[in-house]
Amino acid sequence: MRKISKAALGLFVGAAMCVAPQVTAQSEAAGHTLTVDAGPRAAADPAYQVLVFSKTAGFRHSSIDDGIAALRDLGTANNFTVDATEDAQAFTSGNLAQYEAVVFLSTTGDVLDGAQQTAFEQYVQDGGGYVGIHAAADTEYDWPFYEGLAGALFHSHPAVQSATVEIEDRAHDATAHLGSTWQRTDEWYNYRTNPRTTARVLASLDESSYSGGNMNGDHPIAWCKDYQGGRAFYTGGGHTDESYTDPAFRRHLLGGIRWAAGTTNADCRPETGYTALFDGSSTTGWKQAGPGGFTLADGTLTSHGGLGMHWYSAKELTGDYSLKLDWKAVGDDNSGVFIGFPASDDPWTAVNNGYEIQIDATDAADRTTGAVYGFQSADIAARDAALNPPGEWNTYELRVTGERLEIFLNGSKINDFTNTDPARSLKDGHIGIQNHGDGDEVSFRNLRVKQGDGQQPGPRSGEVKGVNGKCLDVDNSQTADGTEVQIWTCNGSGAQKWAVQGDGSLQALGKCLDVSGGGSADGTRVQLWTCNGSGAQKWAPQADGTVRNPQSGKCLDASGGTWNDGTPVHLWTCHTGPNQKWTLP
């Protein structure tokens, strides 16, 4: 399916200016709830279409009509058209292709037959978006694809009552308008499984704030995930009629739709094991280096003046680690994140002995957003595709493994840098955020770190690029065991989206990259196959750019010597030629 182009979104990309840092921290408590009306956006999204599906084969919610009306209102105000239906015959490949997202609005029971399920699976695998609202989790219990898409299925619920919703991710467009907690009344579902290991949890319930929660204190209620080439967002709210006149809930739905439709980006990879360095309530452990400072309000540090740097003096990061933080620029503003520098109240120490990961979308290539400032440009095309425009939040992950630094923007890898300067080291040092100068206003939230696991903070997904810049591709997006894997011009489809799993497997369309029969002979077919954990499905990236199957000791290889679209991949003795060099997400 055609996804909305980033060029059409009017993203700010190109060049900007940053050099040293400095900072002072100032006051104010955070955490109050914001309720923001879902009016028209300052920069309108390009027009797109959304299908709202509300067929019920079980309990029918009285709020469905209110939900459709609210979604139509959101569409009118935000440049998308809503087609609402309860006719499952809308689920054909041809019809679904016109929609950027499909909303399951409190559907219940078995609502699609086998052919309709197949069409919807293909739609998602081709990059389509899914939004599930409330009883969308009470649907299609015997369809494994749907359970994976929704993230979790309904178990039970107590009576409608008020509860405290804890906002875990304030960068996603569905929750960025909220404070750290959100008090609201709804019917709070319990789920059969916990989606935290497969999805990014955006909000969860404080089970001590209401009666009837049964998920042992870890109770996700809204989440997002990349799934078999598409995007999936779910919220458990929306049982009551009143939900759909609540401005905060309407804005929550709008953010989920925008993300599922591809008009905004977010890091929706699962996230566990991180420790807060700045949690929004206090700057304890942080110090200012140089002039200027940061103002603390609503759980957010916002820069003013400079050049300065606010640095985390309480702890030096050593060894492998993953640092994540959320940031937002108001306009064409300048800031950056420093890592790997020794303790000092002089911001130039960070400049001269560490590395800055730039925030400024309009500077030269080696000093624009995603660049290791002055050393290495980001992959500009990948950066442009992942970057949200001024006024919207972005998430950086800075992953340090030895002297290697991988930079992820909203979950997409945009830079891969290795330090070779003995005067600098990524293996140990402090981190800091820059206030660049008067007129540069950049905000930061939720700085957190995971140490000792820098290589595997969660599955990574994206394109696997090989010879001639072509992508590893599943032939015709088929999912049958034995489907050929080939190289093809990169096109952003689900057939080219691979997840690098912690067990060493590479997965696309819900299946694994597999050496046929576990063979080891040169020319052995490499194919798609049901994941089984065997050695035939383990792949190990090497420092020389090759990807090796450890069981056979041989490399993933694009066959032949011309490497056109459709060239199959196979197993071959490792020789580090261009047809054995791969860039993983």
Side-chain angles (χ1 to χ4, degrees), residues 231-254:
R231 293 181 172 193
F233 168 87
Y234 172 83
T235 180
H239 171 84
T240 65
D241 298 355
E242 294 78 12
S243 293
Y244 298 98
T245 57
D246 174 4
F249 186 72
R250 286 163 67 110
R251 184 63 186 84
H252 177 59
L253 295 180
L254 174 62

Side-chain angles (χ1 to χ4, degrees), residues 339-351:
I339 63 174
F341 60 89
S344 175
D345 287 329
D346 179 358
W348 289 95
T349 299
V351 175

Side-chain angles (χ1 to χ4, degrees), residues 417-559:
F417 171 77
T418 299
N419 171 53
T420 58
D421 183 353
R424 305 171 192 261
S425 178
L426 291 166
K427 292 181 179 178
D428 51 62
H430 291 269
I431 65 106
I433 52 177
Q434 183 187 61
N435 57 303
H436 185 265
D438 291 335
D440 285 312
E441 183 178 319
V442 177
S443 298
F444 296 88
R445 285 177 174 171
N446 195 17
L447 286 88
R448 64 266 194 205
V449 68
K450 183 175 184 178
Q451 290 197 268
D453 197 15
Q455 292 182 333
Q456 298 292 349
R460 298 129 46 199
S461 62
E463 295 171 333
V464 175
K465 291 186 177 179
V467 63
N468 294 339
K470 294 185 183 292
C471 280
L472 194 66
D473 177 280
V474 179
D475 184 27
N476 203 31
S477 298
Q478 298 177 77
T479 58
D481 283 350
T483 296
E484 181 175 275
V485 177
Q486 58 193 6
I487 59 171
W488 199 273
T489 300
C490 299
N491 56 33
S493 71
Q496 296 180 355
K497 190 165 189 178
W498 296 86
V500 182
Q501 302 291 336
D503 63 359
S505 64
L506 283 171
Q507 298 182 14
L509 306 177
K511 293 198 172 182
C512 280
L513 189 69
D514 177 277
V515 178
S516 179
S520 60
D522 282 352
T524 299
R525 175 187 177 89
V526 172
Q527 60 192 3
L528 202 68
W529 201 270
T530 300
C531 297
N532 55 34
S534 70
Q537 297 181 353
K538 306 298 184 187
W539 301 93
Q542 305 297 305
D544 60 10
T546 62
V547 175
R548 186 168 300 182
N549 171 240
Q551 177 173 276
S552 65
K554 294 194 173 179
C555 281
L556 182 66
D557 177 287
S559 63

